[in-house]
Amino acid sequence: MYRYDEFDATFVESRVAQFRGQVERRLDGRLSEAEFRPLRLMNGLYLQLHAYMLRVAVPYGTLRSDQLRMLAHLADRYDKGYGHVTTRQNMQFNWPKLEDVPDMLSDLASVEMHAIQTSGNCIRNVTCDPYAGAAADEIEDPRPLAELLRQWSMLHPEFSFLPRKFKIAVTGAPTHDRAMVRAHDIGIEVVRGVEGEVGYHIIVGGGLGRTPVIGQTLRVFCPKDELLPYLEATMRVYNRFGRRDNKYKARIKILVRETGIEEFRFLVDEEFKALPASKIMVGQAERDRIAAYFAPPDYANDIKAFDLSAQPEAFRKWVDTNVVPHIQPGYAIVNISLKDPDRAPGDITADQMRAVADLADAHSIGEIRTTHQQNMVLAHVRQDELRAVWDGLVKADLEDANINLIGDIICCPGMDFCALATARSIPVSQAIAERFNDHARQQAIGEMQIKISGCINACGHHHVGHIGILGLEKAGVEFYQVTLGGDATQTAAIGDKMGAGFSQDELIDGIERIVDFYMGQRTEGERFLDTYRRLGTPAFKEALYADA
Amino acid sequence: MSTLKHKGKGPQAMTANELRSGLSVWMTKDFGWSRDYRDALLTEDEATIERMDEVARAAELVNDVVGAYFIDTVDGKPARYRERFRTHGPTYDTAELI
Amino acid sequence: MPTLELIRPTGVEADATLPLDFDASRNDDIEALRLPPDADLSQIEDALPRIKSIFVAFDAFTDGRGFSLARLLRQRYGYDGLLVADGQLIPDQFAFALQCGFDAVRVAEGELKRHTPEAWTDALDAFDLTYQRGYAVAAGPATNIFDARLTAMEAGQTADPFSV
């Protein structure tokens, strides 16, 4: 993976020194809270419901083992011994002190990490397919592009005070989108042009939040050379014309909707034509330099066929759910579930981080991915070492076999931690996980994505959950609204809203009725989403409210 | 910066976060701050409320606390659900397993 | 309101009254023009060579539209007069302002108590180099990292990316 050169290292160290100075100026009053707030947010520091929260960037969800160990160190030294993997592949800490944050950033810089632009009205951490470079369905590894975008967007002089936050996601596998590119301000798919050349399909105006929108095509094919100038043109149109009168209407999706995609595209094209593209683009030599860091590892060709039948059943179950095919024969992609039914989805203790880092060193290439589904991935594992990986995961209590099943729930921190939340989400996720705890039942249900948000801002992606849950509160009582049929992939769809909300207990029963209804109605090979689309909303709605 | 002017109902409490630690605090009977809501001063007396307002504003100015605001209380507890959460902390925290 | 003349003298009197509206019927030189952040630049395009200085209003430091206006004025319209970021900026934005094409920042006098002139000049030293091509400025980040790398690579210093 990418290594900093002297320029990157100096830049991040400068940022740490700058932020240290900003904290000092805040503590002695030279910076008011109104001035400091946007500055600290641009460095990932929130003031949450009970304390500060620091969100550390995991650029495009890729970590070296020493970086994961450093996150474990931060958790132990400055926090309460754990971290939380977010739906944008970052890791956040719930209890840091303001005074400690500059030292945390120094520690991060020592392993080529930072918290730059993990919040604030700027271009956020670029997210990416967690199987990048290992997936058979990929046109090209999207991480060199993601790294280029990381660098280009760092403290951009023109685009650091945008109308609202700006999220970019990239995928190299447009036929199997695992990066939710249609639910981002800008989504980029690696595609092939008419001559077979590799370029980018640019999607704009997607997003969840209180106004969920599926992104639309801005440009069918953008040659590689033109990408940065074209993005600058797009960002400039947004920076100038995006609404600033109402923060709830300030995202680019609203500008695109109010302008119309044709007119918006016209504005971007006009801007693009007027740009000195050659002075903005980053050339082939630099792109090749970055890409070299993401060259495929040296694969072994002598890996013997792996006989599962002699292995214990629990291991076979785990392989069945958590291990997926790799582009290289003899290798596999391992998903590490952070969805222990008793825990908060995405939480991982410092000891577990170190265990995963050790496994990555011993049985992969010393590299770990975080996923938007709040899990981790070892992208390159020899099949004959899968058992050793599993043994290590069992020891670390990380062997849950539930990837993409009903227990693999996406869940925001909710009212337990978040200043914006209206209801709790963690206990709901735990209750669902407990109800469907039986592995055989989870397997029988098949692919199922439940996504829970504790407020309308939709950090838990409920709009694109097969079953989406939105937590609200009225007169001191939490209740939960359900959406069905959402889809976060290349066939992206916003879920259909059902009717009146439920209490937590009623909700779990209602979900069970939906699941049972699906099991009774599905035809051979049908996923929940397929059955839902075939039978339509009313049938499922009736099942959901059957008890009412 | 908060707008401290209170226009609440029932007994008022003043809350904020410590600037340095970020932890939630409530104004106490001696116009200091406590991280424990049980120490909070709850009052309907307008003169006292005025004084709480002044003290909180001053505490912000000297960078002790941040985002001070009044909350409504009912039967000694914060009226709003969110504010009740702030008094008792998360109902689930992975830290408790460690 | 004093001008922070950190880059070059603006030549504008501290208390000069700036015209808020542009009168297209005039054809003499215009000393100073104040632009709101939502200005339509095409309306003043023809007059730009006659405008000696443009003050772009920043009504809040979180409103970044002025940065794009400066960039457009310099890059697309070739404006080479004096360009001043005028209003609620903070020192942490000084380098951004210069990188986007401003010559100077003007803030209200009272603001200089907390954000001293030293704080403004110090802020320019925060970064030696930044990433974006085409945003270099002599007083701040002198060039960009991509070009600096290319120079280093061409000099044979870092041809092998793993040798760094």
Side-chain angles (χ1 to χ4, degrees):
Chain A
M1 63 179 276
Y2 189 72
R3 296 298 306 242
Y4 283 8
D5 66 6
E6 59 199 292
F7 298 113
D8 299 310
T10 305
F11 178 87
V12 168
E13 281 160 20
S14 299
R15 181 68 181 111
V16 174
Q18 184 187 41
F19 191 72
R20 194 179 288 280
Q22 287 167 344
V23 170
E24 270 170 30
R25 284 155 66 212
R26 175 66 193 101
L27 291 176
D28 69 22
R30 278 176 289 164
L31 280 174
S32 68
E33 184 61 19
E35 289 165 337
F36 182 60
R37 187 174 175 277
L39 299 180
R40 68 165 154 76
L41 288 175
M42 266 186 264
N43 215 27
L45 186 63
Y46 287 75
L47 186 51
Q48 285 288 18
L49 196 60
H50 314 292
Y52 288 105
M53 182 270 278
L54 181 67
R55 184 179 293 152
V56 175
V58 181
Y60 37 94
T62 307
L63 283 166
R64 285 196 315 267
S65 53
D66 62 315
Q67 294 176 323
L68 185 54
R69 286 190 193 94
M70 179 55 78
L71 293 172
H73 166 76
L74 294 189
D76 279 339
R77 169 134 188 217
Y78 304 105
D79 210 89
K80 294 190 178 177
Y82 71 99
H84 173 76
V85 174
T86 76
T87 52
R88 295 204 75 253
Q89 299 180 288
N90 293 316
M91 186 177 283
Q92 60 196 33
F93 297 101
N94 286 328
W95 303 98
K97 293 184 175 69
L98 176 60
E99 292 170 300
D100 286 339
V101 173
D103 292 338
M104 296 173 82
L105 297 174
S106 281
D107 289 350
L108 286 169
S110 73
V111 292
E112 306 173 10
M113 292 186 82
H114 59 72
I116 301 170
Q117 288 165 214
T118 52
S119 178
N121 294 337
C122 47
I123 303 171
R124 301 287 190 88
N125 180 42
V126 177
T127 55
C128 175
D129 182 350
Y131 298 167
D137 49 23
E138 189 170 87
I139 292 174
E140 184 178 275
D141 189 338
R143 288 173 302 163
L145 166 63
E147 173 59 27
L148 179 66
L149 293 176
R150 184 191 74 82
Q151 298 188 20
W152 163 77
S153 62
M154 286 289 97
L155 269 66
H156 197 293
E158 189 178 339
F159 307 129
S160 288
F161 295 89
L162 296 168
R164 200 76 181 81
K165 58 187 168 185
F166 202 91
K167 299 176 180 176
I168 300 176
V170 300
T171 179
T175 54
H176 292 96
D177 176 14
R178 292 171 288 261
M180 295 215 319
V181 294
R182 282 167 183 77
H184 279 76
D185 295 283
I186 282 186
I188 301 176
E189 290 179 335
V190 177
V191 290
R192 287 198 187 278
V194 284
E195 308 281 306
E197 76 279 25
V198 173
Y200 305 121
H201 172 210
I202 315 284
I203 297 162
V204 71
L208 302 176
R210 64 186 66 208
T211 315
V213 183
I214 300 298
Q216 305 179 70
T217 294
L218 180 59
R219 192 168 173 191
V220 175
F221 186 86
C222 179
K224 284 188 166 185
D225 268 348
E226 292 182 10
L227 182 70
L228 293 189
Y230 192 75
L231 288 182
E232 273 199 23
T234 310
M235 296 306 301
R236 183 167 300 144
V237 169
Y238 172 55
N239 191 36
R240 291 188 67 199
F241 303 117
R243 288 181 63 170
R244 290 174 186 267
D245 59 323
N246 180 339
K247 73 179 275 197
Y248 302 121
K249 295 185 175 176
R251 295 288 288 273
I252 197 172
K253 63 192 171 190
I254 306 294
L255 176 64
V256 172
R257 192 178 69 183
E258 291 183 351
T259 315
I261 184 70
E262 301 294 333
E263 175 69 10
F264 183 81
R265 187 181 296 123
F266 173 79
L267 291 171
V268 172
D269 286 345
E270 288 296 295
E271 193 61 53
F272 178 63
K273 276 187 251 167
L275 283 176
S278 66
K279 290 183 182 163
I280 297 165
M281 61 168 273
V282 166
Q284 184 78 41
E286 171 65 2
R287 296 204 304 267
D288 287 349
R289 184 192 75 88
I290 294 176
Y293 289 104
F294 298 96
D298 292 327
Y299 293 119
N301 293 313
D302 59 343
I303 300 171
K304 278 178 272 173
F306 183 54
D307 181 17
L308 269 178
S309 61
Q311 295 289 339
E313 193 192 351
F315 172 66
R316 281 186 279 130
K317 280 181 184 167
W318 176 81
V319 170
D320 205 27
T321 50
N322 289 30
V323 176
V324 297
H326 193 282
I327 190 169
Q328 179 73 15
Y331 282 79
I333 300 172
V334 169
N335 288 280
I336 300 171
S337 171
L338 303 183
K339 306 297 171 64
D340 182 325
D342 297 330
R343 296 270 181 98
D347 277 13
I348 178 168
T349 67
D351 286 343
Q352 288 176 324
M353 289 183 220
R354 281 182 282 265
V356 171
D358 291 348
L359 289 172
D361 282 339
H363 305 292
S364 189
I365 58 167
E367 180 201 284
I368 303 97
R369 314 283 176 85
T370 52
T371 79
H372 87 260
Q373 289 176 294
Q374 302 177 291
N375 295 310
M376 287 186 171
V377 165
L378 300 179
H380 310 279
V381 177
R382 288 169 60 117
Q383 289 178 9
D384 56 4
E385 295 186 29
L386 284 171
R387 176 62 197 274
V389 170
W390 181 73
D391 288 341
L393 292 174
V394 169
K395 210 179 279 179
D397 200 13
L398 283 168
E399 79 282 20
D400 291 283
N402 55 14
I403 294 293
N404 266 326
L405 301 181
I406 197 167
D408 186 7
I409 299 165
I410 287 186
C411 178
C412 74
M415 182 68 104
D416 282 306
F417 295 95
C418 179
L420 299 173
T422 44
R424 283 176 295 171
S425 49
I426 294 169
V428 176
S429 126
Q430 289 169 331
I432 295 170
E434 195 196 324
R435 179 71 60 95
F436 295 96
N437 202 9
D438 180 63
H439 184 265
R441 190 178 180 196
Q442 290 203 33
Q443 279 283 57
I445 296 166
E447 182 184 323
M448 170 68 85
Q449 294 182 349
I450 295 186
K451 302 181 195 266
I452 309 171
S453 303
C455 81
I456 199 166
N457 294 303
C459 295
H461 298 170
H462 65 276
H463 298 297
V464 289
H466 300 169
I467 298 176
I469 298 166
L470 167 63
L472 297 165
E473 175 248 321
K474 196 173 182 185
V477 179
E478 294 167 321
F479 68 99
Y480 297 89
Q481 288 182 345
V482 174
T483 54
L484 295 179
D487 179 356
T489 68
Q490 66 281 355
T491 48
I494 304 297
D496 304 308
K497 273 188 202 160
M498 299 296 109
F502 300 91
S503 71
Q504 183 181 307
D505 289 345
E506 294 167 347
L507 175 74
I508 311 303
D509 292 340
I511 287 173
E512 191 161 34
R513 283 194 298 273
I514 294 171
V515 170
D516 288 346
F517 178 72
Y518 149 69
M519 300 278 279
Q521 296 292 321
R522 70 178 170 186
T523 59
E524 183 67 26
E526 252 186 358
R527 300 171 305 158
F528 174 82
L529 206 50
D530 303 323
T531 309
Y532 179 78
R533 285 174 179 162
R534 178 168 60 80
L535 292 180
T537 308
F540 277 85
K541 190 168 177 176
E542 198 183 315
L544 177 64
Y545 290 99
D547 196 42
Chain B
M1 285 286 151
S2 64
T3 49
L4 292 177
K5 284 265 180 278
H6 98 102
K7 41 187 184 292
K9 282 199 296 193
Q12 298 292 296
M14 173 67 78
T15 186
N17 290 77
E18 293 178 355
L19 176 64
R20 280 156 200 274
S21 73
L23 297 176
S24 303
V25 286
W26 293 266
M27 191 175 283
T28 58
K29 295 174 182 67
D30 57 1
F31 301 99
W33 300 92
S34 169
R35 292 180 184 176
D36 189 339
Y37 173 77
R38 285 170 297 188
D39 300 333
L41 164 62
L42 313 180
T43 180
E44 290 191 81
D45 177 65
E46 282 299 327
T48 311
I49 287 171
E50 185 68 24
R51 170 107 171 100
M52 292 164 81
D53 188 290
E54 286 165 14
V55 172
R57 215 181 283 267
E60 285 190 330
L61 272 176
V62 298
N63 310 305
D64 281 345
V65 301
V66 54
Y69 57 97
F70 283 108
I71 57 170
D72 296 350
T73 65
V74 175
D75 299 333
K77 287 185 177 163
R80 281 186 63 202
Y81 184 65
R82 176 184 190 280
E83 292 306 324
R84 290 211 291 279
F85 252 89
R86 286 181 76 248
T87 67
H88 58 62
T91 55
Y92 172 87
D93 187 358
T94 297
E96 283 161 28
L97 302 172
I98 296 163
Chain C
M1 293 213 293
T3 309
L4 276 170
E5 296 180 355
L6 294 162
I7 303 308
R8 59 175 174 163
T10 63
V12 177
E13 293 300 319
D15 56 354
T17 309
L18 300 171
L20 289 170
D21 297 311
F22 173 68
D23 180 358
S25 65
R26 288 170 54 177
N27 56 15
D28 54 333
D29 279 0
I30 298 162
E31 198 63 38
L33 178 73
R34 188 175 152 88
L35 286 182
D38 62 351
D40 178 355
L41 297 180
S42 65
Q43 293 194 358
I44 60 166
E45 183 176 1
D46 294 342
L48 281 173
R50 293 185 287 110
I51 303 175
K52 286 187 181 170
S53 60
I54 294 177
F55 287 67
V56 176
F58 281 76
D59 297 334
F61 84 97
T62 50
D63 184 342
R65 285 177 291 180
F67 297 119
S68 282
L69 280 188
R71 184 81 173 149
L72 282 169
L73 280 166
R74 292 294 193 214
Q75 204 178 56
R76 191 197 283 199
Y77 296 97
Y79 179 69
D80 62 0
L82 180 77
L83 201 49
V84 180
D86 189 18
Q88 305 290 321
L89 286 88
I90 58 175
D92 311 73
Q93 296 175 302
F94 196 18
F96 289 164
L98 300 183
Q99 285 180 285
C100 289
F102 286 108
D103 296 299
V105 171
R106 193 173 81 145
V107 296
E109 190 164 22
E111 297 296 316
L112 293 175
K113 284 182 190 133
R114 276 186 312 129
H115 305 310
T116 60
E118 294 72 41
W120 284 86
T121 43
D122 287 352
L124 286 187
D125 296 329
F127 294 90
D128 293 335
L129 302 177
T130 49
Y131 284 101
Q132 298 73 27
R133 296 192 68 221
Y135 289 86
V137 60
T143 182
N144 68 82
I145 289 170
F146 292 119
D147 286 347
R149 254 185 208 141
L150 196 62
T151 306
M153 270 195 279
E154 281 168 354
Q157 292 171 14
T158 57
D160 174 3
F162 296 95
S163 72
V164 182

